[in-house]
Amino acid sequence: LSPIKLDRPIFQPYPSELVFQNFIPLQTYSLPLLLLNNDKVAHAVKLEQDISEQFYVVGPENGSSKVAPGMTLSFTVFFTPQESKDYSHRLVCVTPRERFEIPIRAIGPRGILDFRDEIHLPPCLVKASTEKTHFVCNVGNCKAKFKLHTQSPFSVTPSSGTLSVGEGIQVTVVFHPMTVGDFQEDLLLHYGTGETHPHS
């Protein structure tokens, strides 16, 4: 009988998520994965995986093993990318009492625009406007497709674009207040990969 409550996992994966990055196609990379038995009794555990050309796991020969209390079971996860792009995969840990997933992500090349974290505009009369222009460069390792969005009383141009690696562009933020007060809004940078980064 297990003293661990039913809502608590018996096995704890270390790490809880595997992430590969800065990889080169057709080379093989590996990360360790440990499953710790949190219980005070031994438990059998098995690691299942979907069929994949890019990922495979090496562990106990029969794929399943009984783990003593407080001990770990070791696996090695191998990754061989075919292209420079994002990959995702999952491993499923199975015991007689529980079943949970361990996600694997491979983060491919990214376009990265070197925006400032904050943009401060000078005071401005109501119904007048002031602006600031910054030179923004793609410091990532692939082409950056992007969209920019903010809220009134601010606006930004250009609102979208594409920059090759090392290429730059001038981005202008305009402040056009209609009432007296202090204003702050997020300038949202949406990448073509679906990732969003807020700036103030």
Side-chain angles (χ1 to χ4, degrees), residues 49-106:
Q49 63 174 326
D50 294 333
I51 296 172
S52 170
E53 292 182 8
Q54 287 77 40
F55 298 95
Y56 69 95
V57 180
V58 174
E61 287 186 19
N62 58 4
S64 179
S65 186
K66 203 160 192 176
V67 184
M71 299 301 289
T72 59
L73 190 61
S74 298
F75 297 88
T76 303
V77 179
F78 292 92
F79 169 54
T80 306
Q82 306 301 307
E83 304 173 53
S84 289
K85 66 172 192 177
D86 290 358
Y87 290 92
S88 63
H89 193 58
R90 66 189 181 102
L91 302 174
V92 180
C93 183
V94 181
T95 75
R97 199 182 83 173
E98 63 192 0
R99 182 184 181 94
F100 60 88
E101 292 187 2
I102 303 165
I104 305 174
R105 291 190 305 132

Side-chain angles (χ1 to χ4, degrees), residues 1 37 41 54 62 66 73 75-76 80 85-86 97 107 109 116 120 138 140 151 157 163 169 176-177 182-183 185 193:
L1 293 175
N37 181 357
V41 295
Q54 287 77 40
N62 58 4
K66 203 160 192 176
L73 190 61
F75 297 88
T76 303
T80 306
K85 66 172 192 177
D86 290 358
R97 199 182 83 173
I107 301 172
R116 295 182 181 184
H120 296 278
N138 179 3
Q151 306 259 354
T157 54
L163 292 177
I169 191 172
H176 185 68
D182 294 329
F183 300 89
E185 289 289 345
T193 57

Side-chain angles (χ1 to χ4, degrees), residues 123-130 152-153 174-181 183:
C124 179
L125 296 173
V126 172
K127 297 186 180 178
S129 64
T130 185
S152 178
V174 178
F175 176 45
H176 185 68
M178 301 305 289
T179 58
V180 175
F183 300 89

Side-chain angles (χ1 to χ4, degrees), residues 1-87:
L1 293 175
S2 170
I4 290 186
K5 294 180 181 179
L6 289 176
D7 62 344
R8 296 279 309 278
I10 292 174
F11 281 91
Q12 179 73 42
Y14 291 99
S16 57
E17 179 184 37
L18 295 164
V19 179
F20 293 91
Q21 52 190 348
N22 299 322
F23 54 82
I24 298 170
L26 305 179
Q27 292 196 17
T28 299
Y29 302 85
S30 66
L31 287 173
L33 173 65
L34 300 177
L35 295 178
L36 169 67
N37 181 357
N38 284 322
D39 209 345
K40 294 181 179 177
V41 295
H43 287 282
V45 63
K46 184 176 182 181
L47 203 59
E48 298 176 349
Q49 63 174 326
D50 294 333
I51 296 172
S52 170
E53 292 182 8
Q54 287 77 40
F55 298 95
Y56 69 95
V57 180
V58 174
E61 287 186 19
N62 58 4
S64 179
S65 186
K66 203 160 192 176
V67 184
M71 299 301 289
T72 59
L73 190 61
S74 298
F75 297 88
T76 303
V77 179
F78 292 92
F79 169 54
T80 306
Q82 306 301 307
E83 304 173 53
S84 289
K85 66 172 192 177
D86 290 358
Y87 290 92

